[in-house]
Amino acid sequence: MVRLPFLLLLLITATAAFAQPRIDSVIVSGQVRRLSAKLYRQSPTVLVTRTNMLRGGIEQAFPAPLQPNGTFRVAVPIVYPQEEMQFIIGNATTPFLASAGNLTITLDNDSLYVAALPFQFGGVNAQVNQQYAQFKAFEAKNKPDENARKRTLKKALNGDINQTFSTLYPTFIDPFTQFSTRQTVFPLVRDWAVTNARYDAAAYVFDKALQEQQTIPPNYFKAVTTDTETLLTASRAIAMSRFGAYADMRIQQNTPSSGRGIRIRTLAQLIDQYGTGLTVNDRQRLAAFRETNTARTADVRYLSKLLERNPDTLTRLLTYENAMQTARPLFDSLSMDYLKGYAMNMVITESTLDIVQVVAQHIYPQIGNPYLKQSFSDLLGQALRDTALVRQVRADYLALEKQPGVNSGYVGDGIYVTAGTNRDGSELLKKAVDQNRGHVIYVVLWGPGSETGRQLARDAQRLRDVFLPQDLTILYISTNDADEKLWLESIVRNRLKGEHIRLSESQTYSVFNTLNLSDPSPVRIILPQGKLFRKEALLPDKFDQLVEQIQAQLR
């Protein structure tokens, strides 16, 4: 009998395991009337962004190219019956509530930045979106007293945690309360505004509890979250990500530092299911452990040896199971479903795709809530869509690395790498700088293990929309980095087009003075002459000023 390679078999199994009913989508289309050349140059595509319940604070963008007549069209997947999304063109943005079907957005170029209501909605939720736009315009025109708002925030953050929500919620809902006294409000508009206000306040509760290492009583937790199971907004997703961080703190507080840990039955089951190189005798002993749920000291040593055969995957699974075992007495079933997905998101950001695949296969059947289950599938799909590209990039990188000396080359998808494992870090940096003479080089110091670093790396990509390749090079340098596989995968999965160098700890030390690494800023500018710009390089969050700073070096 022909035996399938393990990874191929795993992919086939996973495809079946995650098979879901077809995910609904909303078709967002529309037109920019009187589209000008200036606006087209500024924004040749419009963006529709959505959030995943399990990944609050990180938006997934769906670009729609503008046609010469100003029309656009894009399909966006939708998990919840009602989802808040964002429409972005140039520097203008508007929220809208989407549901399955067709939704239209039209605007006029001449009034885009001057009209109080520049966006006109049609299709699904047309009246709801138009009224919510009126509310946001009212809110912008009738801004609250900032000093009073700051005093309220200070009072809430410095006071009793049991009073935090009741102090903040009235402040966050007040603009809508004023708006609703002036006209009849659609129920869905009210639900939308109330959901955002409640979860904006809830986020502060979770942050305060985390910062002060406090426990939120179960009844209070139910009070600060609201029953909006069918409505997903960015505020809700962000607040729940804060809840995930709070829950992680509670799990750590309740995890014994010694004594009883994960059950022997669970440990034996994980090794039996995901271990490698197991003999018939191994499986018989594991079956006995599952039956008795007990093990002697010698048995524990034996199990540890089996773990060492596949440490990366099994350690991830054991960490997850231990966390869930600790969490079950602390949280209700819906919160547990969320925490399972939250744990998967952490694995995705910190692990290679091979590990992600196995861990997801383990967690997915444990989630009961249908919306969270579908959100999990969506999250995993985003992570695994690049599997084939990752393999191709890795193969090209390994071929480049095998060549003697320091070499630079294209490895796919706009990614260029300078490699030389056993060479001095200054040699790698010099090679990258020399081959980009005449360009301004924007250096991003980052690492794949940090979400802050990954976000900075993604933000720097915006510069590619402004500058020509012959004027600007983005050089990503991962410092003190030992995990080559995770580094490459993170580059591909985050779409970090540009030049890349990975430096080991010793290689990082050799460029310490050249890149002035005593400066804590994660960005640098190297001038067209190859010299380090001695003034402070701006971060992408000051984008307009950064563009001006780079343009000044090109003159």
Side-chain angles (χ1 to χ4, degrees):
M1 182 177 71
V2 177
R3 298 185 65 186
L4 290 172
F6 173 73
L7 184 56
L8 175 60
L9 183 61
L10 181 61
L11 290 172
I12 293 172
T13 305
T15 301
F18 299 119
Q20 285 285 295
R22 182 179 59 85
I23 294 179
D24 286 331
S25 63
V26 57
I27 307 298
V28 182
S29 61
Q31 184 177 22
V32 182
R33 299 192 184 98
R34 288 186 281 273
L35 176 64
S36 67
K38 180 180 178 181
L39 180 59
Y40 183 80
R41 285 194 301 270
Q42 181 186 21
S43 182
T45 62
V46 300
L47 291 178
V48 175
T49 66
R50 68 177 293 268
T51 192
N52 185 297
M53 179 63 162
L54 300 173
R55 208 178 183 205
I58 301 176
E59 300 294 305
Q60 184 183 8
F62 296 84
L66 278 174
Q67 302 303 313
N69 64 351
T71 58
F72 56 87
R73 185 180 186 276
V74 63
V76 182
I78 186 168
V79 171
Y80 284 76
Q82 302 287 347
E83 286 194 19
E84 181 186 66
M85 299 184 183
Q86 296 283 336
F87 176 80
I88 304 169
I89 178 169
N91 295 323
T93 182
T94 185
F96 65 93
L97 202 62
S99 61
N102 294 285
L103 186 149
T104 64
I105 302 174
T106 58
L107 56 145
D108 192 300
N109 176 82
D110 294 343
S111 60
L112 177 59
Y113 296 117
V114 294
L117 296 170
F119 302 98
Q120 302 298 315
F121 296 92
V124 295
N125 291 338
Q127 292 180 309
V128 168
N129 285 320
Q130 207 62 55
Q131 189 173 70
Y132 196 80
Q134 293 170 8
F135 159 56
K136 299 306 287 184
F138 171 85
E139 184 180 37
K141 186 177 180 180
N142 298 273
K143 293 182 179 179
D145 184 337
E146 281 301 318
N147 290 329
R149 189 183 181 92
K150 289 178 181 178
R151 287 194 297 271
T152 300
L153 286 172
K154 185 176 181 180
K155 177 183 177 182
L157 295 178
N158 292 334
D160 185 342
I161 192 170
N162 293 299
Q163 303 300 319
T164 302
F165 182 84
S166 60
T167 301
L168 291 176
Y169 175 70
T171 298
F172 292 143
I173 198 61
D174 183 62
F176 180 75
T177 302
Q178 294 183 41
F179 174 76
S180 62
T181 62
R182 289 163 168 77
Q183 60 178 288
T184 301
V185 175
F186 292 113
L188 192 50
V189 173
R190 183 178 301 278
D191 291 346
W192 188 358
V194 168
T195 295
N196 281 338
R198 289 186 70 89
Y199 278 103
D200 283 344
Y204 279 95
V205 175
F206 297 136
D207 280 347
K208 181 177 174 65
L210 177 61
Q211 183 178 359
E212 298 177 358
Q213 302 284 289
Q214 293 197 52
T215 299
I216 301 173
N219 290 339
Y220 185 45
F221 173 75
K222 291 180 180 179
V224 303
T225 55
T226 184
D227 186 16
T228 53
E229 178 62 10
T230 60
L231 175 60
L232 174 63
T233 70
S235 291
R236 182 183 177 195
I238 290 171
M240 289 307 295
S241 71
R242 307 283 177 82
F243 163 71
Y246 159 76
D248 187 57
M249 178 268 290
R250 292 279 291 126
I251 290 169
Q252 291 182 42
Q253 285 179 337
N254 287 272
T255 298
S257 56
S258 61
R260 188 178 69 86
I262 194 165
R263 291 187 295 267
I264 292 297
R265 177 180 291 118
T266 303
L267 176 57
Q269 183 176 343
L270 290 175
I271 295 174
D272 188 36
Q273 188 171 358
Y274 301 106
T276 58
L278 299 178
T279 66
V280 173
N281 181 61
D282 289 331
R283 294 195 184 278
Q284 290 174 346
R285 293 185 67 178
L286 290 169
F289 292 136
R290 293 201 305 273
E291 180 70 24
T292 63
N293 196 32
T294 58
R296 299 168 301 173
T297 302
D299 295 327
V300 173
R301 288 197 296 268
Y302 165 71
L303 291 171
S304 297
K305 289 182 179 179
L306 294 184
L307 278 172
E308 290 170 2
R309 298 178 187 176
N310 189 16
D312 293 339
T313 300
L314 286 171
T315 298
R316 283 286 181 188
L317 291 169
L318 284 169
T319 301
Y320 165 78
E321 284 295 342
N322 202 31
M324 293 303 106
Q325 179 177 300
T326 304
R328 286 185 189 99
L330 305 176
F331 303 105
D332 61 24
S333 59
L334 184 58
S335 297
M336 285 300 301
D337 272 350
Y338 176 82
L339 291 176
K340 292 166 187 174
Y342 180 82
M344 186 68 232
N345 187 44
M346 295 299 101
V347 172
I348 287 173
T349 58
E350 298 169 358
S351 305
T352 62
L353 291 176
D354 291 346
I355 294 175
V356 166
Q357 185 89 49
V358 177
V359 175
Q361 186 180 0
H362 180 75
I363 296 176
Y364 178 78
Q366 301 179 18
I367 300 176
N369 180 272
Y371 298 126
L372 289 173
K373 205 175 186 80
Q374 209 167 49
S375 297
F376 184 98
S377 295
D378 176 60
L379 188 71
L380 182 65
Q382 292 178 45
L384 296 182
R385 67 185 175 185
D386 300 318
T387 301
L389 180 58
V390 165
R391 290 177 186 157
Q392 174 253 305
V393 167
R394 179 165 173 75
D396 290 346
Y397 170 76
L398 292 176
L400 182 71
E401 196 178 42
K402 287 179 181 177
Q403 299 175 20
V406 176
N407 297 282
S408 295
Y410 180 73
V411 295
D413 200 34
I415 300 165
Y416 296 82
V417 174
T418 299
T421 302
N422 298 318
R423 306 303 290 247
D424 192 83
S426 59
E427 292 183 69
L428 274 66
L429 179 61
K430 184 177 185 301
K431 176 78 171 180
V433 171
D434 286 347
Q435 65 191 11
N436 286 285
R437 293 271 181 172
H439 303 188
V440 169
I441 302 174
Y442 189 66
V443 179
V444 178
L445 305 172
W446 75 298
S450 161
E451 176 55 32
T452 301
R454 292 190 297 269
Q455 186 62 55
L456 170 66
R458 290 191 294 265
D459 290 345
Q461 285 289 297
R462 293 178 60 196
L463 292 169
R464 291 171 52 84
D465 297 330
V466 177
F467 294 98
L468 296 172
Q470 59 264 35
D471 292 331
L472 177 73
T473 296
I474 302 176
L475 173 60
Y476 292 97
I477 300 180
S478 183
T479 56
N480 297 313
D481 184 29
D483 194 335
E484 166 205 290
K485 197 171 182 181
L486 181 59
W487 168 68
L488 271 178
E489 289 193 8
S490 190
I491 291 170
V492 173
R493 288 155 62 181
N494 287 281
R495 299 292 189 270
L496 304 183
K497 298 182 178 182
E499 302 264 355
H500 292 267
I501 298 176
R502 183 180 68 91
L503 299 177
S504 66
E505 186 173 351
S506 60
Q507 289 173 325
T508 299
Y509 182 77
S510 70
V511 301
F512 191 92
N513 291 328
T514 307
L515 289 176
N516 189 24
L517 294 183
S518 59
D519 182 347
S521 172
V523 296
R524 305 284 187 274
I525 288 177
I526 295 178
L527 301 172
Q529 301 80 17
K531 297 180 180 180
L532 186 68
F533 183 57
R534 291 300 174 181
K535 295 182 180 179
E536 179 186 8
L538 297 176
L539 292 165
D541 59 359
K542 296 181 178 178
F543 190 71
D544 292 339
Q545 297 96 311
L546 173 59
V547 169
E548 292 176 2
Q549 186 179 49
I550 293 172
Q551 287 173 336
Q553 312 315 313
L554 290 169
R555 296 187 186 119

